[in-house]
């Protein structure tokens, strides 16, 4: 596990579609590698895209100078959270390419 970034969000691009993305390991015991869209969601957008296997993350920033960190949104997460919320990245559907 040497060299793996454990805190902070790495600005990167999706290897499949090259869209901007945040990639980070979230958790301490059983970490989950998350690739999230950096675009913040409104509460209405969060409700619209919510699915059983699509998580919404809190993009926590301790101060203006600190690196943003993805955090789990759990039952104890405050409903009046001031931090932006983001969701996992999903590549847009590929344009069909037809040879004939």
């Amino acid at each position: 596990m040497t060299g793996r970034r454990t805190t902070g969000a790495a600005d990167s691009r999706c290897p499949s579609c090259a869209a901007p993305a945040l990639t980070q390991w979230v958790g301490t015991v059983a970490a989950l590698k998350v690739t999230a869209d950096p675009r913040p969601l409104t509460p209405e957008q969060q409700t619209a895209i919510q699915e059983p296997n699509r998580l919404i993350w809190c993009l926590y920033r301790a101060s203006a100078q600190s690196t943003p960190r993805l955090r789990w949104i759990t039952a104890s997460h405050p409903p009046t959270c001031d931090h932006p919320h983001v969701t996992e990245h999903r590549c847009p559907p590929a344009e069909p390419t037809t040879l004939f």
Side-chain angles (χ1 to χ4, degrees), residues 1-97:
M1 291 204 198
T2 303
R4 182 170 68 166
R5 187 180 186 122
T6 57
T7 61
D11 293 328
S12 60
R13 297 209 168 257
C14 172
S16 297
C17 68
L22 299 171
T23 304
Q24 176 188 358
W25 288 94
V26 179
T28 54
V29 176
L32 177 65
K33 186 172 185 180
V34 178
T35 300
D37 285 326
R39 188 182 76 241
L41 301 171
T42 64
E44 294 80 24
Q45 290 172 323
Q46 292 177 47
T47 303
I49 65 168
Q50 194 170 16
E51 297 173 10
N53 293 322
R54 191 168 193 188
L55 299 174
I56 307 290
W57 302 93
C58 180
L59 190 57
Y60 175 78
R61 192 174 214 147
S63 69
Q65 293 79 24
S66 65
T67 304
R69 292 185 328 173
L70 294 172
R71 284 186 167 180
W72 295 94
I73 292 181
T74 61
S76 63
H77 191 76
T80 58
C81 176
D82 293 336
H83 300 105
H85 292 163
V86 297
T87 189
E88 71 172 306
H89 172 72
R90 288 196 179 163
C91 294
E95 292 293 323
T97 55

